[in-house]
Amino acid sequence: MVPYLAMQDTRDGGRVASQLRKGVLEYCVLALLRQGPCCGVELLEELSGASVMATTQGTIYPLLSRLRRDALVDTALRESPNGPPRRYYALTDAGHAALDAFATYWPDFRNAVNHFLAEPMEVNRENQ
Amino acid sequence: VKTSEHTLVRRYLAAVEQETATLPAERRAELLADLTEHISVALAEAGDETDETVQRVLDQLGRPTAIAETALAEEPAPTDDELHAGSDLRTGLILILLPLAGTIGVFMRTLGGVAAVVGIVLLWTSKQWNLRERIIGTFIPVSSLIVWLGLELLPGFFGVAPGYPRLILIAVLAPAAPALGSVYLFRAARRRNAARAALRS
């Protein structure tokens, strides 16, 4: 949690993290559900383990709601030994397909970003 | 104790409800149910329901405005028709009818009354404003009367001696009140539309 809070304090660190998270958070959620159904609180615990994915907890629920509407996840209420029944989210076939599509595309995307970050001035240098 | 009956929780959920006034009712109900369940589960895992624990759970859950912004951003973008023709005309009518009712109602009661009723119905069926803004808007047609009565019944309330300074204050503030109310609604709608546009980009 500490690195995340520290990052939010720098002027643009929080903004960068939040912009990046916006694009990939739903695929991280789908990936977490690959191992089996989870409830919202469990998903949030897993996400907060990676400081850059730690999000304002409550904002996960509108995201989960959209994933359900898009039929990427299914929900079911399950009794819990501790507290009230919990809503569990499970990957649907469409959810698996969306995750596979992302997993196929992601390495190229990541490599392209790494490439530009590592060699930002390549073109300019060749011109000089 | 049921989670949703805790004062802090009730206040928190009410804030989320107000901030998501423009969300479809079904979506808002689902969000509130999800948040309620999250709070119950988090409190069950914490093992106690002291004010400190409840406050910590709510702090971690995040600001109601942040949650509302995300929820609104997850909505499919409104079509150009929804954004412009319909809602612009309606918004314009509301912003004109309500202060008009407050002004001409003084001279022409029937016409003023009709303008007030139409304006208020349009206001409450519009998706531009949240509950507090709607309530304030509803008082626009009678705002001159409220200002006049307030200054008449509470002389010295603003530290003004009885007599003509108070009359000047009434003469300036009473006619201006409906217009100021309309400006308030206009600014609230503009702020919200700018926020929505920013979220979509």
Side-chain angles (χ1 to χ4, degrees):
Chain A
M1 285 316 267
V2 175
Y4 172 61
L5 289 177
M7 199 165 56
Q8 268 197 323
D9 285 342
T10 65
R11 183 165 295 172
D12 290 306
R15 208 179 107 80
V16 169
S18 117
Q19 289 287 334
L20 288 173
R21 222 171 19 238
K22 225 177 253 179
V24 299
L25 186 59
E26 61 185 274
Y27 297 103
C28 294
V29 168
L30 292 178
L32 285 172
L33 293 175
R34 222 172 3 182
Q35 289 105 31
C38 289
C39 70
V41 171
E42 289 169 347
L43 285 171
L44 286 167
E45 269 166 21
E46 292 291 333
L47 289 171
S48 71
S51 60
V52 291
M53 282 300 160
T55 172
T56 304
Q57 286 188 344
T59 59
I60 196 90
Y61 292 104
L63 171 73
L64 288 170
S65 163
R66 176 168 58 79
L67 293 179
R68 189 178 57 79
R69 264 177 286 142
D70 292 349
L72 300 181
V73 301
D74 251 344
T75 66
L77 275 181
R78 280 198 207 168
E79 291 298 327
S80 155
N82 188 12
R86 302 178 184 194
R87 188 189 284 246
Y88 274 76
Y89 299 85
L91 268 191
T92 61
D93 289 345
H96 275 291
L99 181 58
D100 288 345
F102 179 79
T104 312
Y105 194 70
W106 174 248
D108 287 346
F109 191 91
R110 178 197 56 206
N111 292 342
V113 173
N114 285 349
H115 169 73
F116 289 124
L117 288 179
E119 303 284 347
M121 302 294 278
E122 196 173 319
V123 178
N124 286 346
R125 254 189 258 120
E126 277 169 10
N127 286 346
Q128 278 165 7
Chain B
V1 188
K2 269 192 70 185
T3 303
S4 52
E5 282 163 12
H6 195 289
T7 313
L8 290 171
V9 174
R10 216 174 43 214
R11 216 179 292 159
Y12 182 87
L13 292 174
V16 174
E17 190 170 5
Q18 194 188 327
E19 293 293 335
T20 51
T22 53
L23 214 58
E26 179 200 0
R27 199 84 70 242
R28 182 166 55 248
E30 185 188 21
L31 176 63
L32 290 170
D34 281 341
L35 296 177
T36 308
E37 182 197 307
H38 173 100
I39 296 165
S40 305
V41 170
L43 288 178
E45 289 192 346
D48 73 84
E49 294 198 6
T50 58
D51 283 358
E52 290 74 34
T53 309
V54 173
Q55 193 58 57
R56 183 171 50 77
V57 165
L58 296 180
D59 286 346
Q60 285 174 350
L61 201 48
R63 285 178 301 113
T65 46
I67 298 172
E69 275 170 19
T70 310
L72 289 169
E74 295 289 2
E75 280 302 292
T79 63
D80 279 355
D81 275 358
E82 282 172 312
L83 262 186
H84 296 295
S87 77
D88 268 4
L89 178 65
R90 172 188 290 260
T91 304
L93 269 176
I94 292 168
L95 293 177
I96 291 169
L97 282 178
L98 290 176
L100 197 67
T103 317
I104 64 170
V106 179
F107 312 105
M108 293 174 275
R109 282 196 202 147
T110 318
L111 208 57
V114 171
V117 169
V118 174
I120 289 170
V121 168
L122 287 175
L123 173 69
W124 283 87
T125 50
S126 163
K127 292 185 184 297
Q128 288 275 20
W129 292 285
N130 67 25
L131 182 64
R132 190 180 58 170
E133 288 152 8
R134 285 174 181 170
I135 290 172
I136 291 176
T138 303
F139 282 100
I140 289 179
V142 289
S143 56
S144 291
L145 199 66
I146 293 173
V147 168
W148 174 64
L149 279 179
L151 289 172
E152 196 63 42
L153 295 177
L154 301 168
F157 185 76
F158 292 100
V160 179
Y164 82 96
R166 184 159 52 89
L167 289 179
I168 289 178
L169 209 56
I170 291 174
V172 171
L173 283 183
L180 290 176
S182 186
V183 168
Y184 168 80
L185 285 186
F186 171 71
R187 292 173 62 109
R190 197 178 52 175
R191 187 159 32 86
R192 195 154 294 129
N193 285 335
R196 275 185 204 149
L199 282 169
R200 266 198 306 279
S201 62

